[in-house]
Amino acid sequence: MGTIFILLASFGVLLVINVPVAFSMTLACILAFLWQGTIPISTVTLKLYSGIDTFPFLAIPLFILAGG
């Protein structure tokens, strides 16, 4: 229950101080993982990087650049 409170509270605080939603979600999850203390932070960073290291995420800016 405490981890869920940390997750939601940190997400709400980050939104109130005008942090973009994507960064707020990421930082709130990292804070919850650190609070829980069961998952090493290096694992979190590797999973985050592997999640954005896909071809469609690379293709979107290139299509915008080609359209310009």
Side-chain angles (χ1 to χ4, degrees):
M1 190 69 174
T3 306
I4 295 173
F5 177 74
I6 294 294
L7 181 67
L8 293 175
S10 61
F11 179 67
V13 167
L14 288 168
L15 285 179
V16 167
I17 61 172
N18 290 329
V19 176
V21 175
F23 293 123
S24 297
M25 291 171 63
T26 304
L27 290 173
C29 287
I30 289 173
L31 285 173
F33 283 139
L34 287 174
W35 176 263
Q36 194 173 12
T38 57
I39 298 176
I41 197 67
S42 60
T43 304
V44 174
T45 56
L46 287 173
K47 291 289 186 180
L48 284 173
Y49 178 74
S50 66
I52 62 170
D53 189 32
T54 60
F55 179 73
F57 287 132
L58 178 64
I60 292 169
L62 293 177
F63 283 132
I64 293 171
L65 181 63

